[in-house]
């Protein structure tokens, strides 16, 4: 049974009680779901997890569904936590780990966010769901909407990936291609008027609750001792905010201590850059929005949660960094050879950042460092980019075969 009590505005502090609560605050800022954690603490403990479902719904008392047994679930969560011993040794890192979210349904951690958001949309009797997106969220929403029996509309932002278009369509979603900056015009008002729920990042509070389960799971898999540093994709700030919310709740529940990891947010860019967090900005700099999304599949639409993401980075003494696309491609390729893991571009970017983060002093070689791989490598564009630079013809005895060096 959920211990959800109310929704709270992240900017003006207004509170709203369900079931009449809006999905975002009239002031324009995102809402966060709040729970009666004292009640949860009394009625729920870590030992219960031994008998809990092997999905993210094992944390149901701190998720928003009134009837968690009716959750729209495809088996999301409990993804592998893997030691990257060889990769770590090469970098001189003693305790490097990878949380492989590619093992979720639809190949990314957006399965968590959509399982929660679509379950809640169904519970609230929404007529349909919609999203403007460029990658993993679009596919996950399409799949979970199908599982829920809800009509889904996907607005893929140009330039559209053919593979993504086909996969969303296969789940029965109605898919349109729209110009990059048209999100508010095409999704916002018409969607609300038709009773269709907009599941864009921070447009409603429940996707974040699904992302939060990643933080609970990291704590559980590390036996309730949080890592020193977490390097994760920026992804609209949802990963940062979700992880931090989990760690705060775990502290209140008494399940993990008050020590928090430093969070480093990573995305692709034209060159290496570091923005140190300060208040709701990176020292006056905007959150880095990279121009190279055509090559990477990184999210490109602006986020309603940007201030919240900066605030989270500030609290964690963290930073946002950009990694050059060619370094991401090289890391993706090398990691596949060294560890047998072909990561998505966002996860590869996080690993590609490690060396420079060490040089910047944002990491220490003896720390426990966790990298989040947000999803699978569904596009070959980065590998093609790497291959264009590296592929050489080998001996004609091999009949014209070409192979990466
Ligand atoms: Zn507000």
């Amino acid at each position: 049974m959920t211990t959800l009590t109310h929704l709270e505005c992240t900017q003006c502090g207004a509170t709203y009680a369900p079931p009449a609560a809006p999905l975002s605050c009239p002031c324009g800022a995102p809402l966060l779901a709040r729970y009666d954690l004292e009640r949860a603490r009394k009625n729920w403990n870590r030992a219960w997890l031994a008998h809990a479902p092997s999905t993210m719904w094992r944390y149901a008392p701190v998720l928003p569904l009134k009837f968690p047994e009716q959750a729209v679930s495809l088996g999301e969560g409990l993804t592998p936590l893997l030691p990257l011993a060889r990769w770590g040794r090469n970098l001189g890192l003693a305790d490097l780990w990878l949380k492989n979210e590619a093992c979720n349904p639809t190949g990314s951690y957006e399965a968590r966010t959509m399982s929660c958001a679509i379950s809640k949309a169904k519970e609230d009797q929404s007529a349909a769901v919609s999203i403007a997106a460029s990658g993993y969220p679009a596919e996950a929403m399409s799949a979970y909407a199908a599982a829920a029996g809800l009509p889904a509309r996907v607005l893929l932002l140009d330039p559209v990936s053919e593979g993504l278009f086909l996969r969303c369509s296969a789940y029965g979603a109605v898919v349109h291609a729209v110009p990059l900056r048209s999100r508010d015009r095409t999704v916002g008002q018409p969607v609300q008027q038709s009773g269709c729920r907009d599941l864009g990042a921070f447009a409603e509070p429940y996707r974040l609750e699904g992302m939060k389960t990643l933080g609970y799971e990291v704590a559980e898999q590390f036996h309730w001792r949080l890592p020193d540093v977490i390097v994760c994709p920026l992804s609209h700030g949802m990963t940062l905010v979700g992880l931090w919310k989990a760690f705060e709740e775990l502290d209140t529940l008494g399940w993990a201590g008050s020590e928090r990891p430093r969070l480093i947010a990573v995305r692709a860019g034209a060159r290496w850059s570091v923005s140190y967090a300060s208040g709701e900005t990176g020292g006056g700099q905007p959150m880095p929005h990279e121009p190279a999304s055509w090559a990477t599949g990184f999210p490109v639409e602006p986020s309603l949660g940007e201030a919240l993401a900066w605030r989270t980075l500030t609290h964690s003494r963290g930073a946002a960094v950009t990694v050059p696309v060619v370094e991401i491609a090289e890391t993706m390729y090398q990691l596949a050879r060294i560890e047998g893991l072909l990561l998505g571009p966002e996860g590869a970017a996080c690993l590609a950042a490690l060396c420079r983060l060490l040089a910047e002093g944002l990491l220490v070689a003896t720390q426990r460092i966790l990298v989040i791989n947000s999803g699978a490598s569904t596009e070959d564009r980065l590998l093609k980019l790497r291959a264009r630079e590296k592929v050489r013809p080998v001996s004609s005895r091999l009949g014209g075969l070409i192979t990466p060096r």
Side-chain angles (χ1 to χ4, degrees):
M1 186 59 147
T2 182
T3 55
L4 179 72
T5 52
H6 62 279
L7 303 181
E8 182 181 275
C9 178
T10 54
Q11 195 62 43
C12 71
T15 58
Y16 304 92
L23 292 173
S24 64
C25 188
C27 82
L31 295 174
L32 294 185
R34 295 299 185 196
Y35 300 84
D36 183 349
L37 294 175
E38 284 308 315
R39 182 157 68 91
R41 187 180 176 134
K42 281 184 199 134
N43 300 323
W44 186 46
N45 62 57
R46 296 188 316 203
W48 287 35
L49 295 176
H51 308 289
S54 301
T55 70
M56 71 173 210
W57 292 98
R58 62 203 280 104
Y59 311 113
V62 288
L63 291 173
L65 278 202
K66 241 182 270 170
F67 304 105
E69 62 280 7
Q70 294 175 12
V72 181
S73 175
L74 297 170
E76 54 293 319
L78 283 196
T79 55
L81 178 69
L82 304 168
L84 291 186
R86 293 177 72 193
W87 191 264
R89 212 163 32 242
N90 287 349
L91 294 177
L93 298 175
D95 201 7
L96 178 64
W97 295 79
L98 182 84
K99 180 74 171 154
N100 195 6
E101 289 288 288
C103 297
N104 277 303
T106 71
S108 82
Y109 60 12
E110 297 297 348
R112 296 177 188 270
T113 75
M114 291 302 173
S115 177
C116 191
I118 287 187
S119 296
K120 193 70 174 91
K122 194 176 177 193
E123 186 175 273
D124 293 345
Q125 300 184 320
S126 293
V129 288
S130 175
I131 195 167
S134 55
Y136 300 133
E139 184 172 351
M141 192 198 77
S142 304
Y144 281 87
L150 282 174
R153 186 171 63 145
V154 174
L155 304 168
L156 290 181
L157 305 182
D158 272 336
V160 171
S161 145
E162 186 189 6
L164 181 61
F165 184 95
L166 293 172
R167 291 194 299 276
C168 292
S169 302
Y171 289 117
V174 176
V175 188
H176 304 279
V178 297
L180 188 58
R181 298 292 174 194
S182 63
R183 179 185 177 281
D184 290 338
R185 290 200 306 279
T186 56
V187 179
Q189 292 171 354
V191 161
Q192 282 162 13
Q193 282 162 10
S194 65
C196 174
R197 185 168 290 194
D198 177 5
L199 297 186
F202 294 105
E204 53 78 60
Y206 303 115
R207 264 183 76 194
L208 185 73
E209 294 304 292
M211 185 64 87
K212 181 183 80 177
T213 63
L214 177 59
Y216 275 78
E217 210 172 286
V218 164
E220 185 182 353
Q221 288 178 322
F222 276 128
H223 308 290
W224 311 106
R225 204 198 110 211
L226 300 177
D228 298 306
V229 181
I230 298 180
V231 185
C232 65
L234 181 55
S235 281
H236 308 111
M238 283 193 76
T239 326
L240 296 168
V241 179
L243 287 171
W244 201 254
K245 189 169 189 289
F247 300 152
E248 284 181 339
E249 290 179 5
L250 285 166
D251 189 6
T252 308
L253 288 167
W255 289 21
S258 57
E259 291 283 311
R260 306 277 157 77
R262 165 173 284 168
L263 301 182
I264 309 285
V266 180
R267 68 183 312 168
R271 66 188 71 80
W272 170 258
S273 74
V274 184
S275 303
Y276 289 93
S278 161
E280 294 187 359
T281 67
Q285 302 171 63
M287 193 64 88
H289 288 292
E290 74 345 305
S293 299
W294 62 270
T296 62
F298 278 72
V300 291
E301 60 271 40
S303 169
L304 299 171
E306 195 157 300
L308 201 53
W310 274 123
R311 216 181 300 161
T312 303
L313 282 178
T314 304
H315 290 157
S316 83
R317 300 160 289 109
V321 303
T322 58
V323 178
V325 173
V326 286
E327 292 183 22
I328 299 171
E330 185 64 23
T331 300
M332 189 185 265
Y333 183 87
Q334 294 296 347
L335 190 86
R337 299 196 148 204
I338 290 175
E339 296 281 5
L341 292 162
L342 191 54
L343 302 190
E346 293 181 306
C350 293
L351 277 170
L354 293 179
C355 222
R356 296 192 197 237
L357 290 170
L358 267 169
E360 290 276 344
L362 283 161
L363 300 181
V364 176
T366 52
Q367 287 176 318
R368 172 164 286 180
I369 297 159
L370 174 66
V371 168
I372 308 283
N373 178 44
S374 53
S377 176
T378 53
E379 306 290 339
D380 292 332
R381 279 177 280 187
L382 274 179
L383 291 176
K384 282 178 187 161
L385 181 74
R386 199 271 179 192
R388 256 206 311 274
E389 295 185 357
K390 300 283 184 183
V391 169
R392 300 281 185 277
V394 294
S395 163
S396 56
R397 283 177 299 153
L398 296 178
L401 178 72
I402 59 169
T403 183
R405 213 167 31 173

